[in-house]
């Protein structure tokens, strides 16, 4: 399968690839990889990396691997591996037969570590983690050599072998690269390469009790797979000298690491650590909670893969960190759904309306357009009868100045139906709440057209009470009230910015009968209300549950203007 959007838009990484192709570097190959750590579900930040890596490979006739960076057995689970595969496929990308695991290379990595020891480039260090930190120095002060730095090659080989055999306790020893304790780059101050972890690994079981750290495992995996462009996020810029050091010292095939700015999105968090916290501590219902920016959450919310690909293309690839407004993502979503989602009528908070002069048992099938943006999507019939529901907020007994919808004595249009006029209001005797309206209709306005040029100021959506289907609707708002909840500079935990009103559940909604049997995952525009999607988890034959994907109000244009 080829992605529906490839990265045609120019960006600095694409320019590097173009240059390399021109210079016939790497035999004119383009081979990228997407290397998630299976310690959580993928989020939209990962989507940016997926689109970039798979997109570049697709554009230049190259290959892109899916590689699980499974070098930390304590936080990784098979559930995550499966969800990641599903999400990458859903986004529209295919790794063919190139599904790899860093753990497949553990033996090779071990041999490379032995090679470094033999070359006098690595040593076993008995300092504790705290001592290693102390010895490392700071940005302004050089580090101090470990007293174990001068161990003989023979002793190092013996100790490292016995580390592998499980003879030592966790934390008692590590293998470190011997680089430079005075380097201006802290990552080069004899970084740890292997640590003892007596944990079961989801693929290698108990075969290993020493595990390589990310920097060592990553460059070797890239090298083994013949990756040409190893694309990662900006935090790894300071690790690049180490990436290059390992591959140079080992004298093996050497891909180039290129860093780009990670995606930050407003009003949410894009860090697996924080997402794990939200899920495990049940601030949200799960990894697919429609309020979180995981791909499974976005999918359940009603996002399409096309929207996400489009968004990733729009935001581009930069070298400097910035924050993208959620409004842009929602703008891309509306653009997509405006064209693709059929329109229907649904009433979220029903108010009963009786049309006094409409014959008791009459039902008319009125024609409604499925999508005025695309007449090819055809029309459907909507039943009209004497008793209807309209939206509670479309009626005001005492309308303020700017309120043009229904009020006593006032006439409005019912979409695709008739003009109706409010002639009576029934209230609950106890609460005073309006529970029913009485209206008359004008038979000459069938289809919603005025016969005599008479104007009405509002068009309302409605459903026929006898024909409508009951439904539950989940309304979502930002999960966080703060634009950047992850920025904890003011000392407050990100969870203190959770939006208490991020979910409102409406249980007595009514939708038009054409939605009977609506397929889970299918998306609609509820006229005047927004885009909604049939929930794919909790909906069943008996119960229709909709998630509000996004409202109709597009705030992006305003933001864009203010930024200019
Ligand atoms: P997190 O910071 O969310 O825990 P991570 O970087 O630890 O993410 P990995 O599983 O290691 O997660 O990421 C796999 C790939 O996705 C990496 O190449 C990483 O750079 C990229 N990636 C992760 N987050 C983002 C993001 N917000 N924007 C762009 N790329 C990202
Ligand atoms: Mg990571």
């Amino acid at each position: 399968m080829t992605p529906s959007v490839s990265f045609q838009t120019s960006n600095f990484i694409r320019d590097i690839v173009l240059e390399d192709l021109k210079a016939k570097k790497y035999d004119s190959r383009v081979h990228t990889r997407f290397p998630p750590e299976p310690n959580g579900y993928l989020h939209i930040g990962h989507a940016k990396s997926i689109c970039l890596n798979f997109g570049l490979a697709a554009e230049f006739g190259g290959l892109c691997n899916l590689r699980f960076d499974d070098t930390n057995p304590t936080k990784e689970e098979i559930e995550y591996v499966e969800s990641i595969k599903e999400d990458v496929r859903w986004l529209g990308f295919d790794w063919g037969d190139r599904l790899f695991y860093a753990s497949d290379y553990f033996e090779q990595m071990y041999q490379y570590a032995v090679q470094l020891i033999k070359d006098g480039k690595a040593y076993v260090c008995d300092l504790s983690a705290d001592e290693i930190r102390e010895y490392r120095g700071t940005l302004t002060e050089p580090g101090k050599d470990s007293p174990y730095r001068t161990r003989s090659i023979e002793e190092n080989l013996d100790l490292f072998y016995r580390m592998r055999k499980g003879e030592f306790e966790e934390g008692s020893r590590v293998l470190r690269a011997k680089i430079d304790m005075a380097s201006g780059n802290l990552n080069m101050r004899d970084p740890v390469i292997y640590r003892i972890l007596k944990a079961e690994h989801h693929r290698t079981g108990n075969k290993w009790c020493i595990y390589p750290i990310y920097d060592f495992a990553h460059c070797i995996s890239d090298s083994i797979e013949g990756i040409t462009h190893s694309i990662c996020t900006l935090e790894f810029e300071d690790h690049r000298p180490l990436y290059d050091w390992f591959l140079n010292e080992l004298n093996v095939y050497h891909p180039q690491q290129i860093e780009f700015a990670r995606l930050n999105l407003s009003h949410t968090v894009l860090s697996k650590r924080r997402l794990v916290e939200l899920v495990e501590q049940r601030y949200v219902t799960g990894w697919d909670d429609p309020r979180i920016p995981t791909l499974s959450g976005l999918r359940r919310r009603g996002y399409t893969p096309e929207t996400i690909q489009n968004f990733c293309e729009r935001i581009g690839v930069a070298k400097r960190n910035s924050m993208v407004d959620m409004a842009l993502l929602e703008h891309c979503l509306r653009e997509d759904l405006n064209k693709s989602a059929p329109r229907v009528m649904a009433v979220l908070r029903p108010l009963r309306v009786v049309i006094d002069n409409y014959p008791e048992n009459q039902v008319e099938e009125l024609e409604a357009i499925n999508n005025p943006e695309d007449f090819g999507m055809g029309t459907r019939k909507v039943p009209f009868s004497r008793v209807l529901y309209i939206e509670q907020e479309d009626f005001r007994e005492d309308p303020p100045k700017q309120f043009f919808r229904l009020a006593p004595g006032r006439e409005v249009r019912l979409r695709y139906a008739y003009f109706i006029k409010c002639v009576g209001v029934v209230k609950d005797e106890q609460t005073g709440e309006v529970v029913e309206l009485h209206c008359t209709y004008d038979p000459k306005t069938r289809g919603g057209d005025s016969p005599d040029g008479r104007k009405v100021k509002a068009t309302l959506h409605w459903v026929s009470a006898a024909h409508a289907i009951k439904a539950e609707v989940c309304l979502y708002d930002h999960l966080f009230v703060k634009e950047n909840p992850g920025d904890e500079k003011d000392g407050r935990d990100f969870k203190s910015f959770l939006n208490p009103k991020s979910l409102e559940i409406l249980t007595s909604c009514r939708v038009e009968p054409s939605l009977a049997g609506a397929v889970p995952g299918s998306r609609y525009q509820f006229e005047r209300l927004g885009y909604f999607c049939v929930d794919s988890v909790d909906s069943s034959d008996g119960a229709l549950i909709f998630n509000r994907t996004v409202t109709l109000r597009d705030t992006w244009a305003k933001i864009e203007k203010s930024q200019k």
Side-chain angles (χ1 to χ4, degrees):
M1 195 174 19
T2 46
S4 54
V5 178
S6 70
F7 261 76
Q8 300 297 329
T9 315
S10 159
N11 65 62
F12 79 94
I13 297 182
R14 187 170 172 273
D15 291 344
I16 293 173
V17 173
L18 280 169
E19 282 298 308
D20 291 346
L21 284 173
K22 212 155 76 191
K24 300 206 162 46
K25 202 170 165 184
Y26 310 114
D27 307 323
S28 304
R29 289 180 308 119
V30 175
H31 200 153
T32 54
R33 84 286 172 268
F34 173 63
E37 186 181 346
N39 61 350
Y41 280 54
L42 296 183
H43 53 63
I44 189 155
H46 294 111
K48 177 175 179 176
S49 174
I50 295 169
C51 289
L52 181 59
N53 279 295
F54 280 93
L56 282 171
E59 184 179 349
F60 297 108
L63 300 170
C64 181
N65 298 354
L66 174 62
R67 181 202 313 144
F68 287 101
D69 224 317
D70 56 347
T71 51
N72 183 355
T74 56
K75 286 196 268 168
E76 294 160 1
E77 285 174 31
I78 294 178
E79 177 196 348
Y80 297 140
V81 169
E82 292 309 317
S83 77
I84 289 169
K85 289 199 271 187
E86 184 187 347
D87 287 346
V88 175
R89 267 193 223 108
W90 175 76
L91 251 194
F93 298 101
D94 185 1
W95 53 86
D97 56 358
R98 293 172 316 283
L99 172 63
F100 300 117
Y101 294 84
S103 57
D104 291 342
Y105 314 135
F106 279 169
E107 183 61 40
Q108 177 71 70
M109 289 173 194
Y110 177 82
Q111 295 304 335
Y112 280 145
V114 168
Q115 185 183 326
L116 288 180
I117 296 173
K118 285 183 177 163
D119 291 344
K121 296 290 178 184
Y123 61 98
V124 173
C125 181
D126 303 357
L127 293 180
S128 68
D130 285 341
E131 287 166 327
I132 289 181
R133 209 170 304 123
E134 261 166 54
Y135 275 65
R136 190 184 294 132
T138 63
L139 283 171
T140 50
E141 285 163 59
K144 270 193 313 191
D145 283 2
S146 158
Y148 305 98
R149 202 173 198 261
T150 50
R151 267 183 170 144
S152 70
I153 289 174
E154 288 66 36
E155 190 183 2
N156 281 320
L157 283 174
D158 175 59
L159 286 173
F160 188 49
Y161 178 70
R162 288 163 59 196
M163 276 169 67
R164 175 182 184 162
K165 288 281 147 215
E167 284 186 28
F168 310 122
E169 289 311 305
E170 264 182 33
S172 62
R173 296 196 150 89
V174 292
L175 183 73
R176 298 176 68 176
K178 194 189 275 190
I179 309 179
D180 178 8
M181 288 307 292
S183 170
N185 183 341
L186 291 175
N187 295 307
M188 301 298 275
R189 294 185 187 171
D190 291 10
V192 172
I193 319 181
Y194 266 93
R195 63 229 193 280
I196 300 169
L197 274 178
K198 303 207 165 161
E200 188 167 308
H201 186 280
H202 71 104
R203 298 195 82 233
T204 57
N206 293 310
K207 177 158 183 231
W208 294 90
C209 60
I210 54 171
Y211 290 92
I213 55 105
Y214 173 86
D215 285 315
F216 187 67
H218 196 76
C219 61
I220 290 175
S221 306
D222 282 347
S223 175
I224 291 173
E225 292 174 15
I227 299 304
T228 56
H229 302 84
S230 175
I231 300 166
C232 62
T233 43
L234 229 45
E235 334 63 284
F236 291 100
E237 196 167 19
D238 289 346
H239 296 239
R240 186 174 359 114
L242 188 53
Y243 184 101
D244 292 335
W245 188 89
F246 283 131
L247 296 182
N248 285 337
E249 293 301 329
L250 293 169
N251 194 23
V252 291
Y253 169 79
H254 196 150
Q256 64 178 315
Q257 175 178 309
I258 308 169
E259 310 85 18
F260 72 102
R262 66 194 293 116
L263 168 65
N264 297 304
L265 197 58
S266 74
H267 301 286
T268 190
V269 289
L270 287 185
S271 128
K272 274 189 284 191
R273 176 176 65 77
R274 294 202 174 99
L275 290 169
V276 167
E277 212 174 314
L278 292 177
V279 172
E280 286 184 350
Q281 296 176 23
R282 305 203 174 251
Y283 288 95
V284 295
T285 57
W287 283 104
D288 62 355
D289 188 303
R291 290 169 294 179
I292 54 174
T294 52
L295 295 181
S296 39
L298 294 170
R299 175 165 61 234
R300 189 169 170 198
R301 177 81 171 253
Y303 275 78
T304 66
E306 291 77 16
T307 294
I308 296 174
Q309 286 192 17
N310 254 315
F311 170 74
C312 290
E313 168 121 357
R314 283 275 272 272
I315 54 177
V317 181
K319 198 78 198 169
R320 233 187 56 213
N321 278 315
S322 65
M323 165 86 73
V324 175
D325 201 295
M326 180 78 88
L328 174 59
L329 177 61
E330 295 186 338
H331 173 78
C332 294
L333 180 60
R334 289 187 190 95
E335 239 176 31
D336 180 355
L337 296 181
N338 183 39
K339 293 195 200 91
S340 61
R343 297 181 191 194
V344 293
M345 290 196 285
V347 174
L348 298 186
R349 297 174 183 88
L351 173 59
R352 209 174 125 92
V353 174
V354 180
I355 314 284
D356 291 336
N357 60 338
Y358 195 84
E360 192 87 45
N361 291 316
Q362 182 170 308
V363 179
E364 281 177 90
E365 295 285 334
L366 301 174
E367 181 152 57
I369 296 165
N370 288 337
N371 191 342
E373 298 287 321
D374 178 1
F375 287 106
M377 286 168 78
T379 59
R380 69 187 185 288
K381 299 286 188 199
V382 204
F384 183 87
S385 65
R386 183 177 152 91
V387 181
L388 312 170
Y389 288 118
I390 64 166
E391 210 68 62
Q392 281 170 20
E393 62 176 29
D394 281 337
F395 173 79
R396 286 287 193 88
E397 195 179 11
D398 202 1
K401 248 196 168 146
Q402 292 301 312
F403 187 89
F404 298 115
R405 294 168 267 168
L406 200 57
R410 193 182 282 174
E411 191 172 44
V412 297
R413 174 189 295 109
L414 293 182
R415 185 112 162 108
Y416 302 121
Y418 293 100
F419 284 15
I420 60 165
K421 188 172 184 172
C422 179
V423 295
V425 177
V426 181
K427 291 185 198 175
D428 182 305
E429 274 176 20
Q430 315 268 292
T431 63
E433 186 196 354
V434 175
V435 290
E436 183 177 289
L437 302 180
H438 283 264
C439 294
T440 56
Y441 86 116
D442 177 354
K444 293 195 293 296
T445 57
R446 194 176 198 268
D449 296 323
S450 157
D452 50 11
R454 188 162 98 232
K455 293 244 175 355
V456 288
K457 285 203 170 134
T459 301
L460 310 186
H461 61 272
W462 53 275
V463 293
S464 163
H467 303 88
I469 308 170
K470 271 193 107 165
E472 187 174 305
V473 170
C474 302
L475 302 179
Y476 300 103
D477 198 352
H478 290 153
L479 187 55
F480 292 93
V481 289
K482 194 180 171 204
E483 182 172 303
N484 186 3
D487 173 23
E488 293 173 344
K489 269 200 225 90
D490 52 7
R492 283 178 62 186
D493 181 80
F494 77 103
K495 298 191 294 305
S496 64
F497 302 111
L498 279 163
N499 178 4
K501 295 190 192 122
S502 62
L503 169 60
E504 183 182 359
I505 301 177
L506 305 175
T507 51
S508 49
C509 312
R510 297 287 194 288
V511 300
E512 64 168 69
S514 74
L515 287 175
V519 180
S522 52
R523 305 167 182 94
Y524 300 90
Q525 184 191 116
F526 289 179
E527 296 222 17
R528 300 178 63 227
L529 296 174
Y531 295 97
F532 294 77
C533 148
V534 182
D535 188 77
S536 44
V537 177
D538 293 331
S539 279
S540 62
D541 280 352
L544 259 183
I545 302 177
F546 288 90
N547 293 315
R548 182 169 71 194
T549 310
V550 69
T551 61
L552 293 175
R553 197 170 358 101
D554 194 340
T555 50
W556 176 244
K558 218 164 109 191
I559 292 167
E560 208 171 26
K561 215 165 144 195
S562 73
Q563 282 172 348
K564 273 184 185 147

